[in-house]
């Protein structure tokens, strides 16, 4: 499963795997004004020739981590009334409990009053991801990026949805932008590695796993994923 970035209130229940505080990330920002705008970048990069090792589908790493949501301070509208904050709290609790349909309905009520609140849009995108409505997940995260282009979690979550829909080139573009915004975002490295494996770019995928382990050497899932990739390569070389 993919690692989905989690909203402020939900983060205690669904912590980011090896997530590093904002103060530790010093990389430059990258802005995609819209999903359509980034499509051109993906098309341009897709033509580059790279060494590829093709794996059977059964050999591909299928363990994308769940999605991440942003810290509470990001995208919050301090002018929101107590009733809206209560609705948002209820939405977060419903999300934690796995009642995604109710969580989405509550978020939609908040978003109708506060359409430019990025953390609400991010939560709505995460809910749609859990509901497997990946197209709507893309819409919400794209709106989130338009409001707060520096929110790395929105870039990563949009990439996760794109990867689920099979749009691997575009997913990689958004993983890269998430990592430029937050260079120590281990979930983005881990999930981008699976996208690279799907394209047969094994050395690049291994490098992503190694980058994640440089940030946090205790990431057990990443160690397992990297080991699985090495074993798959050994099997392929043995058959050749």
């Amino acid at each position: 499963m993919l690692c989905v970035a989690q909203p402020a209130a939900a983060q205690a229940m669904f912590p980011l795997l090896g997530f590093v505080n904002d103060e530790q990330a010093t990389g430059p920002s990258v802005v995609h004004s819209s999903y359509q705008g980034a499509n051109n970048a993906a098309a341009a990069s897709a033509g580059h020739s790279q060494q590829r090792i093709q794996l059977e589908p059964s050999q591909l790493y299928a363990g994308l981590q769940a999605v991440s949501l942003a810290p509470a301070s990001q995208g919050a509208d301090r002018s929101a009334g107590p009733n809206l904050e209560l609705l948002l709290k209820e939405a977060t609790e419903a999300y934690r409990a796995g009642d995604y349909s109710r969580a989405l309905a509550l978020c939609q009520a908040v978003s109708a009053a506060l359409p430019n609140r990025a953390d609400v849009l991010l939560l709505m995108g995460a809910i749609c991801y859990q509901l497997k409505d990946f197209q709507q997940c893309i819409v919400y995260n794209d709106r989130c990026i338009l409001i707060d282009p520096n929110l790395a979690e929105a870039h990563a979550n949009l990439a996760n949805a794109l990867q689920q829909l099979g749009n691997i080139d575009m997913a990689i573009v958004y993983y890269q932008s998430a990592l430029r915004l937050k260079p120590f975002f281990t979930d983005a490295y881990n999930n981008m590695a699976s996208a690279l494996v799907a394209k047969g770019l094994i050395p690049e995928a291994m490098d992503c796993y190694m980058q994640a382990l440089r940030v946090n050497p205790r990431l057990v899932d990443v160690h397992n994923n990297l080991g699985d990739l090495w074993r798959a390569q050994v099997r392929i070389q043995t058959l050749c």
Side-chain angles (χ1 to χ4, degrees):
M1 45 193 262
L2 278 173
C3 196
V4 183
Q6 297 184 48
Q11 203 164 4
M13 184 70 179
F14 302 93
L16 288 173
L17 180 63
F19 194 77
V20 177
N21 291 334
D22 290 346
E23 291 78 11
Q24 295 173 273
T26 57
S29 298
V30 165
V31 175
H32 288 316
S33 60
S34 70
Y35 166 62
Q36 288 297 327
N39 192 32
N40 296 330
S45 64
H48 294 307
S49 60
Q50 294 170 288
Q51 181 182 2
R52 296 169 184 261
I53 299 174
Q54 296 298 332
L55 302 180
E56 293 301 318
S58 60
Q59 295 173 304
L60 295 178
Y61 166 57
L64 295 167
Q65 306 298 312
V67 189
S68 322
L69 290 183
S73 59
Q74 291 183 263
D77 185 345
R78 299 305 177 190
S79 65
N83 290 337
L84 292 176
E85 291 297 341
L86 180 60
L87 285 178
L88 184 56
K89 181 181 178 181
E90 291 178 5
T92 301
E93 291 172 352
Y95 178 76
R96 290 175 178 173
D99 190 352
Y100 301 124
S101 296
R102 180 169 179 270
L104 183 59
L106 291 166
C107 280
Q108 287 170 334
V110 176
S111 186
L114 300 170
N116 294 325
R117 184 157 165 170
D119 60 338
V120 176
L121 291 169
L122 198 63
L123 176 55
M124 293 168 75
I127 293 167
C128 287
Y129 184 91
Q130 300 297 344
L131 291 170
K132 302 188 184 304
D133 187 352
F134 302 122
Q135 290 287 3
Q136 194 60 43
C137 176
I138 289 171
V139 170
Y140 285 132
N141 281 290
D142 189 46
R143 285 175 57 192
C144 189
I145 291 169
L146 289 169
I147 293 165
D148 186 353
N150 295 323
L151 192 55
E153 290 82 2
H155 291 256
N157 291 351
L158 200 155
N160 293 340
L162 288 167
Q163 188 170 177
Q164 292 288 0
L165 292 173
N167 194 340
I168 305 300
D169 289 330
M170 279 292 292
I172 291 171
V173 168
Y174 275 96
Y175 286 132
Q176 289 172 335
S177 65
L179 287 166
R180 283 191 286 266
L181 290 163
K182 196 179 290 288
F184 303 126
F185 198 166
T186 56
D187 290 334
Y189 279 122
N190 194 31
N191 293 340
M192 185 165 76
S194 73
L196 292 166
V197 170
K199 289 186 66 67
L201 301 174
I202 307 305
E204 291 84 350
M206 288 181 168
D207 184 62
C208 278
Y209 287 137
M210 293 302 298
Q211 291 283 3
L213 292 173
R214 289 187 187 104
V215 176
N216 186 350
R218 297 185 299 276
L219 297 176
V220 175
D221 287 345
V222 177
H223 279 289
N224 290 338
N225 297 339
L226 183 58
D228 289 344
L229 208 49
W230 276 114
R231 284 188 288 274
Q233 270 200 297
V234 169
R235 287 196 298 270
I236 290 172
Q237 292 170 358
T238 302
L239 294 172
C240 292

